[in-house]
Amino acid sequence: MYFPAPGNDIRVTVDAHGEYTKESPVFPTRAWGTFRIHHAVEEPGRPRQVNWGELKVDCLTTGGPTATVTGTLVQATPGGPWEDLVTRKVRMGVSFYVAAKGRGPSRIGLSGRRHREKRC
């Protein structure tokens, strides 16, 4: 993922699945899988810093050129800034927009919540 700050390397990997039923052909009735956010920062004269989090998928939506996946943080860098968020079961989400050729750049977004409420 491109991030406009030198020395930053951000990677998002997703293995998410959704199940649709005859009664719910548009919205998934069940979602599962994992996604992982990895952020490494290299600054001159400082040790490389790495922060990552792994999330358990609880919601997946797709449509046209977009996909959104949310989940609960279940594991993070030991001693890192997200470690406390694991114990609080914070939810985060990532969204993707894949632009058609000639329609501008593709995009990715990240959001987080401070509570466990699930909204899919």
Side-chain angles (χ1 to χ4, degrees), residues 4-82:
N8 283 262
D9 180 24
I10 300 173
R11 297 170 191 254
V12 177
T13 54
V14 179
D15 180 16
H17 308 268
E19 180 176 81
Y20 297 84
T21 64
K22 205 182 297 183
E23 295 78 27
S24 183
V26 177
F27 299 106
T29 56
R30 184 170 80 96
W32 68 95
T34 59
F35 67 100
R36 183 179 174 102
I37 301 165
H38 180 272
H39 184 185
V41 180
E42 292 190 42
E43 296 175 327
R46 300 182 86 180
R48 184 172 191 250
Q49 298 175 6
V50 176
N51 184 44
W52 58 265
E54 188 160 312
L55 297 99
K56 180 180 176 187
V57 170
D58 59 25
C59 184
L60 170 67
T61 60
T62 61
T66 66
T68 301
V69 61
T70 62
T72 303
L73 193 59
V74 293
Q75 198 173 12
T77 307
W82 289 359

